[in-house]
Amino acid sequence: QKMMKQLAACEWRGTTSSFEEVRVATSLRAEYMLGVNFYDCEETSSGEKTLVGAVERMRASPTFSRVALMDALNHLGMIWCGRSEYSRAREYLEQSLSLHGTGEERLAG
């Protein structure tokens, strides 16, 4: 919430994106980075929960980076691999791999 207040207080200079799009993208990026941080700190349950939420929101966002989605899916694959759930890990890793060859920098809804 503090970050959202800081964003709202910033003077908006405008670009092709609306303030709301920038706010949503910033919130989503923070959620994704928090999930990766949980994974890096070996808090895999929290990391999984946060990354699953971030992946769902990224897939619904027409402007979010495909590279970040691929990274989040890779982290989910590593979490499940660490739990010896190889079939589930493979699902996430294959989803990430399928995005690798799309050639699009941004997702399209």
Side-chain angles (χ1 to χ4, degrees), residues 37-103:
N37 188 54
F38 279 134
Y39 171 82
D40 290 344
C41 294
E42 299 181 10
E43 296 288 340
T44 55
S45 293
S46 297
E48 176 199 359
K49 181 180 176 182
T50 306
L51 287 167
V52 165
V55 164
E56 289 173 3
R57 290 181 59 206
M58 282 187 235
R59 286 187 170 146
S61 172
T63 60
F64 205 77
S65 167
R66 139 184 95 84
V67 174
L69 176 57
M70 289 169 52
D71 188 54
L73 291 167
N74 283 336
H75 276 85
L76 285 166
M78 291 184 290
I79 287 170
W80 285 103
C81 190
R83 294 174 177 169
S84 298
E85 294 281 344
Y86 303 114
S87 177
R88 196 154 186 189
R90 184 178 177 143
E91 290 174 22
Y92 283 113
L93 296 171
E94 286 179 346
Q95 289 176 44
S96 176
L97 184 61
S98 73
L99 293 170
H100 183 71
T102 63

Side-chain angles (χ1 to χ4, degrees), residues 14-31:
T15 60
T16 58
S17 299
S18 72
F19 176 77
E20 183 62 16
E21 289 172 336
V22 172
R23 185 193 68 76
V24 169
T26 302
S27 171
L28 181 50
R29 181 147 181 87
E31 181 180 10

Side-chain angles (χ1 to χ4, degrees), residues 1-16:
Q1 284 184 349
K2 184 177 180 180
M3 180 178 65
M4 292 304 150
K5 287 179 184 178
Q6 289 174 340
L7 272 175
C10 290
E11 179 182 341
W12 182 246
R13 299 195 188 280
T15 60
T16 58

